[in-house]
Amino acid sequence: MSDEKSSGQRGKLPRSLYERELYRLQTELVKLQEWVRAEGARLVVVFEGRDAAGKGSTIKRVTEHLNPRVARIVALPRPTERERGQWYFQRYTEHLPAAGEVVLLDRSWYNRAGVERVMGFCTMEEYQRFLRQCPIFERMLVEDGILLRKYWFSVSDSVQEERFRRRLQDPTRRWKLSPMDLESITRWESYSRAKDEMFVHTDISEAPWHVVESDDKRRARLNMIAHLLSTVPYEAVAPQVIELPQRPPATGYQRPPRDLQTYVPDHASELRK
């Protein structure tokens, strides 16, 4: 069962082909970053989708070679008591980019249309107000010149469950499996209906949704990055000419004796092949 047709039947993309194309696309992302900075553009990329659909790993590949002072990842925790008393979109507006910045939202204001709606964390009145206000809010962002891109990562139920099981077995990824993730298994159809209704109200011409099939994470990453690059009219910016200066002659400095400083133990030397 899947909320969209699965792409997994095409087979996993070979690693060598994936890595070669990923590096090429990441090189283009650096050019995009420099264009954003030079032009004073503002780019917001929304990452939404099923739990374990590969949003986080895609964001890592997008930002791997970017300047963190230009490209920021925003992954907000649950709202505080004060934030719950604000206008719903208020906590997100302070994280929007200034001129020359890129913001990647690892989940976004669409929490209200997804987890909050399905889990009952908001009232029906709050949910319906969100569906009315969200298109208005996004049109305001676009009208003000923000480049807004929205991606929905779709994964089949079988692949999602397989990824959950791998998280259970991997001590470095077990933290990714939350009680909310487990709820997504038992509420699969509820999330599907919520996603469908969300698209009806928020898939607008000014800021359309783009669905990323993510049963194969390698394909998903390449497809998402390639699409993002195709939607932004960036150009290569001539890099600043930099020359390394000549090191001045030594003036007699001597390093203090090593036994006066505390060094990290050489753990690497104890490793055996």
Side-chain angles (χ1 to χ4, degrees):
M1 183 190 301
S2 174
D3 51 343
E4 285 92 23
K5 184 179 178 182
S6 171
S7 63
Q9 294 180 349
R10 286 179 288 173
K12 197 169 185 179
L13 195 67
R15 178 174 291 277
S16 58
L17 180 61
Y18 161 73
E19 291 181 346
R20 183 171 69 248
E21 179 62 7
L22 177 63
Y23 184 75
R24 186 189 73 80
L25 292 173
Q26 288 176 326
T27 302
E28 291 300 312
L29 284 171
V30 173
K31 295 179 184 178
L32 170 64
Q33 166 193 265
E34 293 307 298
W35 175 84
V36 167
R37 182 161 57 179
E39 294 294 319
R42 292 170 292 166
L43 174 60
V44 175
V45 187
V46 171
F47 291 80
E48 290 287 347
R50 296 280 190 176
D51 294 315
K55 301 180 294 297
S57 62
T58 302
I59 292 173
K60 286 182 181 179
R61 272 64 180 189
V62 170
T63 60
E64 186 173 5
H65 300 292
L66 300 185
N67 184 344
R69 293 184 177 86
V70 176
R72 293 185 286 112
I73 301 172
V74 176
L76 299 184
R78 66 178 60 184
T80 64
E81 188 64 33
R82 181 177 184 277
E83 288 172 333
R84 282 195 287 269
Q86 296 175 342
W87 175 48
Y88 177 72
F89 294 95
Q90 188 170 337
R91 70 191 298 246
Y92 294 99
T93 57
E94 64 179 290
H95 297 282
L96 293 175
E101 293 181 347
V102 178
V103 169
L104 300 101
L105 291 172
D106 186 356
R107 295 201 180 276
S108 64
W109 45 83
Y110 282 102
N111 276 342
R112 175 135 295 176
V115 64
E116 290 191 19
R117 170 71 180 95
V118 173
M119 300 301 297
F121 295 156
C122 67
T123 66
M124 182 58 67
E125 180 183 358
E126 290 171 330
Y127 169 68
Q128 292 175 344
R129 185 187 306 129
F130 170 83
L131 294 180
R132 291 194 303 270
Q133 291 186 350
C134 184
I136 299 172
F137 174 67
E138 291 183 351
R139 288 187 179 104
M140 290 173 63
L141 299 183
V142 174
E143 184 181 3
D144 201 60
I146 289 178
L147 302 170
L148 177 60
R149 303 294 183 266
K150 304 187 306 192
Y151 293 95
W152 175 272
F153 284 70
S154 174
V155 64
S156 62
D157 55 351
S158 59
V159 172
Q160 183 194 56
E161 186 170 346
E162 176 188 344
R163 291 175 182 171
F164 283 162
R165 293 189 186 280
R166 287 205 301 267
R167 288 180 180 183
L168 276 174
Q169 299 165 0
D170 187 343
T172 66
R173 294 192 296 171
R174 191 182 178 97
W175 63 269
K176 291 185 175 183
L177 194 59
S178 69
M180 209 62 64
D181 293 326
L182 301 180
E183 287 283 353
S184 69
I185 295 177
T186 59
R187 299 174 186 255
W188 178 272
E189 290 191 359
S190 296
Y191 273 104
S192 294
R193 293 188 182 97
K195 172 258 179 184
D196 291 343
E197 185 170 4
M198 179 186 78
F199 268 42
V200 167
H201 292 272
T202 64
D203 188 18
I204 58 178
S205 59
E206 297 88 344
W209 278 105
H210 302 285
V211 177
V212 181
E213 295 282 5
S214 61
D215 274 6
D216 180 350
K217 286 187 177 183
R218 294 174 186 171
R219 291 181 188 274
R221 294 163 189 162
L222 297 184
N223 292 342
M224 179 268 152
I225 297 173
H227 181 270
L228 173 64
L229 291 168
S230 74
T231 67
V232 180
Y234 72 98
E235 298 176 350
V237 176
Q240 181 182 357
V241 178
I242 300 176
E243 294 184 4
L244 292 179
Q246 292 290 327
R247 194 179 299 277
T251 58
Y253 167 78
Q254 291 187 351
R255 182 175 180 172
R258 293 176 63 90
D259 57 7
L260 294 181
Q261 298 173 342
T262 302
Y263 284 81
V264 173
D266 190 2
H267 169 75
S269 67
E270 300 176 1
L271 301 178
R272 297 292 181 266
K273 292 183 179 180

